[in-house]
Amino acid sequence: NEVPGSHVPESVIGRMRAAEVAGRAPAEGLQIALQAAEALRPRVSGLILSGAGTLTHAVDAIRGKVL
């Protein structure tokens, strides 16, 4: 699932691997997305989300936390 030209830090990959083993990958992925959205908010005017399945919960969570 790599995107050419993008870089995912090893710490994030490690978090997702551990979360997958623990059966909580979706929740950890959302937490990572929230942290990224908060960090980027001062520097961007929008976000594009992608993922497996429905993103309604993720969009609502990010909207509630960041906007």
Side-chain angles (χ1 to χ4, degrees):
N1 293 347
E2 289 79 24
V3 176
S6 69
H7 171 76
V8 178
E10 285 298 322
S11 60
V12 173
I13 293 170
R15 284 175 64 181
M16 286 305 299
R17 285 186 178 142
E20 187 171 19
V21 169
R24 54 181 182 76
E28 187 67 16
L30 178 55
Q31 187 62 34
I32 291 167
L34 284 168
Q35 291 169 343
E38 287 178 317
L40 291 170
R41 189 169 194 270
R43 293 177 267 181
V44 301
S45 60
L47 295 171
I48 297 174
L49 300 175
S50 67
T54 179
L55 295 177
T56 303
H57 177 68
V59 170
D60 289 344
I62 291 172
R63 182 180 293 135
K65 182 91 174 179
V66 177
L67 296 180

